[in-house]
Amino acid sequence: MSTTDSPDGTAVPSLADPGTAGVRKVRVHHLAQAKARGERLTMLTAYDAVTARILDEAGTDMLLVGDSIGNVALGYDSTLPVSLDEMIVATRSVARAARRALVVADLPFGTYEASPQQALASAVRLVRAGANAVKFEGGRPRADTVRLLGQAGIPVIGHLGFTPQSVNALGGFRVQGRGEEAAETLLADAMALAEAGAAAIVLEMVPAPVAARITETCPAPIIGIGAGAQCDGQVLVWTDMAGMTDWAPRFARQFGQVGEALRQAAQAYGEAVREGAFPAEEHTFSH
């Protein structure tokens, strides 16, 4: 088992080698330990049990049941139409399959902005569905919400930079934190969330130098997406990572061509059926 001494001298398991780390389940305190050791954290989205099982077995540290399910799986043109009920079904599916990964579920648009109490009620439903932590967007105005959920025993992951639920207010898909004033605002937001008890913060579409400064300054682990290589970890939408479509955002990298492999498999299946080659004798019950 791979271990490293913590600041108090006790040995803590490392996340760096999922096969030998001895971590049966990734918990929020493991995220802080990884940041302290300089170990990079991994997060991928997942929306169903089949995908979650595969990503979990691959050693992914965190599975994000993102409201990106709207764009990726439900056919919406943005995350805004996604409902809490839809998130609960997806969270249940992912949580049933995840054995090691920390399951993080998004609070969708309209389920937390009105008050910390509204956020708590929504978060409780996601935790009951199997989430180990919840994520929502916003900086300093959300600090009281982070505190309230923390008092209720619900870990929170923040989300700063480009926040998809605010796409209309932000004027589209635009990099955030450009310029000294905007960078200082982002840093202040991150510090406020961390001081309120956020277990980690997702930083999306932010210039790499700004993200590096926030990562160095903020005590909470910073999980980047389009925020450069100096963050404490990285997150991608799994379909972008696996090459499920021809399109991918600039900040994503295709680590496989799963979409093409699936297309070829479906084509081969269709040809075998039409030619009468499937089902063959070994696929048939004789009595």
Side-chain angles (χ1 to χ4, degrees), residues 93-143:
S93 300
V94 171
R96 288 186 184 118
R99 295 293 177 263
R100 177 184 179 275
L102 183 83
V103 176
V104 181
D106 268 341
L107 289 179
F109 179 69
T111 67
Y112 64 93
E113 296 91 340
S115 67
Q117 290 72 28
Q118 183 199 30
L120 176 59
S122 300
V124 165
R125 294 188 65 193
L126 289 173
V127 171
R128 285 176 173 166
N132 305 127
V134 300
K135 181 174 77 65
F136 50 81
E137 300 176 1
R140 280 165 284 181
R142 301 282 177 249

Side-chain angles (χ1 to χ4, degrees), residues 24 59 79 86 108 113 122 128 143 149 197:
R24 293 184 179 180
T79 66
E86 288 168 330
E113 296 91 340
S122 300
R128 285 176 173 166
L149 268 61

